[in-house]
Amino acid sequence: MSVPCVAVEREHGETVRERLADADLLDGDHRIAVEGGTIYIPVTDPSAVPVEFSDRLVERDAAERERPRPPADLLGYEPSLERLGDIVILDEDDDDRAREIADAVMASDLPCATVLNRASPIEGELRVRRWEVLAGNGTETVHREYGHEFALDVAEVYFSPRLATERHRVIEQVEPDESVVDMFAGVGPYAVPMAARGADVVACDLNEAAIAYLEENAERNGVADRVTAVAGDVRETADAHAGRADRLVMNLPHSADEFLDTAASLAAEECVIHYYDIQHEDDPFGPGERAIRDAAGDDYDVAVETERVVRSYAPHEYNVCLDVRLTRA
């Protein structure tokens, strides 16, 4: 049967497949095919394919795929699941329902080594939570995102796969030879891909476990020579990198404003700040912009380039990002 496919070089196949998956365009009814040096990825709606791939669209016969048996077929209802590497994450208050879903996940065709249920909210300075292991025996995994691999332990570090699209949006802005400081780097989901684009990245985090994984992930993805991992509070470790940052990532939305003076000290003559915040829907961007302007003072001209709602956080509250350019006055 002839179906629309995106045809790309094999070495770019996984990156393009993830990009199409994020856009919900993968045709799950037909198989991806490889011929010579080209991979053919079936898509559901050729008119919605991102413009960068529009010239790669072809019609091609594709074998039908046997449909896997999802957990919903065993349960009789659609459970709420989140995937992180080979871990499936639940958020269920009812213990019996949680175990029923975990049993169905393990019995289904969903690739999975472990099923976890959230046992606490995100807690403490290191932003981690407690977990109940419902199936399997561990909390460590390897997550793949836009062609990069990130080893992590969800019981030791904070990581949200839901922010993959937002991270990719920011990462794509990075130019080779930029000097970047990721002020709250975690296991490296910004730092590692930015280094892969040719930037030199200083990646800071208070969580020593996250720094250990970040160093592993830099090695895993072949960018260890362009990533400098720094353990500790960035306010106490920033002096060595003062005035060098062409780009700053400030993904600590509940308290990033407390670090803006440090951000200003890190900024080069011109610097883009990606500033994440949690604010009420009535004024989601104003508090962040005002805080940045206060920190910049008379030293920098401030231009807000992007105001973006990343996701809903709570009733009437948004997780937002401001892309702000500082230019030395």
Side-chain angles (χ1 to χ4, degrees):
M1 178 180 177
S2 181
V3 298
C5 297
V6 172
V8 297
E9 296 84 357
R10 289 185 65 173
E11 60 266 30
H12 302 308
E14 180 59 19
T15 299
V16 174
R17 189 201 67 78
E18 290 185 357
R19 179 81 169 84
L20 295 171
D22 284 338
D24 199 24
L25 289 171
L26 290 183
D27 177 357
D29 294 327
H30 295 90
R31 293 184 178 276
I32 294 173
V34 178
E35 185 175 301
T38 303
I39 184 168
Y40 297 88
I41 307 172
V43 294
T44 55
D45 182 0
S47 67
V49 166
V51 64
E52 62 263 38
F53 307 133
S54 59
D55 62 342
R56 302 297 187 91
L57 281 166
V58 298
E59 288 285 330
R60 179 181 171 84
D61 288 340
E64 291 190 3
R65 182 191 298 273
E66 292 183 9
R67 301 297 292 176
R69 182 177 55 168
D73 284 0
L74 302 173
L75 292 165
Y77 59 86
E78 190 68 51
S80 177
L81 308 173
E82 185 174 338
R83 295 287 306 280
L84 180 58
D86 59 4
I87 294 175
V88 169
I89 295 172
L90 312 182
D91 190 7
E92 296 288 340
D93 294 328
D94 185 305
D95 289 343
D96 291 338
R97 177 181 164 94
R99 294 190 178 281
E100 178 184 58
I101 294 171
D103 289 344
V105 167
M106 297 303 288
S108 74
D109 294 326
L110 192 67
C112 173
T114 305
V115 181
L116 304 177
N117 195 26
R118 291 183 174 96
S120 77
I122 294 171
E123 298 173 327
E125 197 173 31
L126 301 184
R127 299 187 298 158
V128 296
R129 69 167 88 235
R130 288 175 280 114
W131 301 91
E132 180 184 8
V133 180
L134 299 173
N137 58 5
T139 53
E140 191 174 39
T141 191
V142 176
H143 172 70
R144 292 169 178 82
E145 185 172 298
Y146 287 98
H148 296 95
E149 293 186 348
F150 301 97
L152 62 118
D153 186 331
V154 296
E156 298 288 337
V157 304
Y158 173 82
F159 189 93
S160 174
R162 298 177 184 178
L163 298 177
T165 300
E166 169 61 18
R167 286 191 284 263
H168 188 62
R169 179 190 73 85
V170 170
I171 290 160
E172 285 197 311
Q173 299 178 38
V174 174
E175 299 290 341
D177 300 323
E178 280 190 2
S179 177
V180 178
V181 178
D182 187 349
M183 296 174 66
F184 319 104
V187 302
Y190 284 97
V192 166
M194 286 179 169
R197 289 180 66 88
D200 290 314
V201 184
V202 175
C204 308
D205 204 279
L206 191 62
N207 186 340
E208 292 187 2
I211 287 293
Y213 278 113
L214 188 151
E215 291 175 330
E216 176 184 341
N217 292 331
E219 290 280 358
R220 179 185 288 269
N221 291 277
V223 295
D225 60 327
R226 292 195 295 277
V227 175
T228 301
V230 181
D233 188 319
V234 67
R235 290 171 295 195
E236 299 171 1
T237 61
D239 285 352
H241 308 285
R244 299 183 185 179
D246 303 312
R247 189 177 302 273
L248 292 164
V249 181
M250 300 186 70
N251 187 19
L252 191 67
H254 287 286
S255 54
D257 59 320
E258 299 173 13
F259 295 80
L260 280 168
D261 287 343
T262 299
S265 75
L266 288 165
E269 294 296 301
E270 186 170 78
C271 177
V272 174
I273 300 177
H274 304 285
Y275 178 86
Y276 290 87
D277 203 358
I278 303 288
Q279 291 295 341
H280 193 274
E281 63 185 5
D282 290 345
D283 188 14
F285 304 108
E289 180 179 349
R290 290 190 290 273
I292 293 168
R293 290 187 182 279
D294 286 346
D298 296 328
D299 295 332
Y300 288 93
D301 295 327
V302 177
V304 178
E305 297 187 337
T306 305
E307 295 179 340
R308 174 177 167 81
V309 174
V310 177
R311 58 177 175 170
S312 293
Y313 178 76
H316 309 294
E317 288 189 326
Y318 292 135
N319 178 191
V320 301
C321 181
L322 292 91
D323 297 342
V324 179
R325 186 175 298 273
L326 304 184
T327 304
R328 180 75 68 178

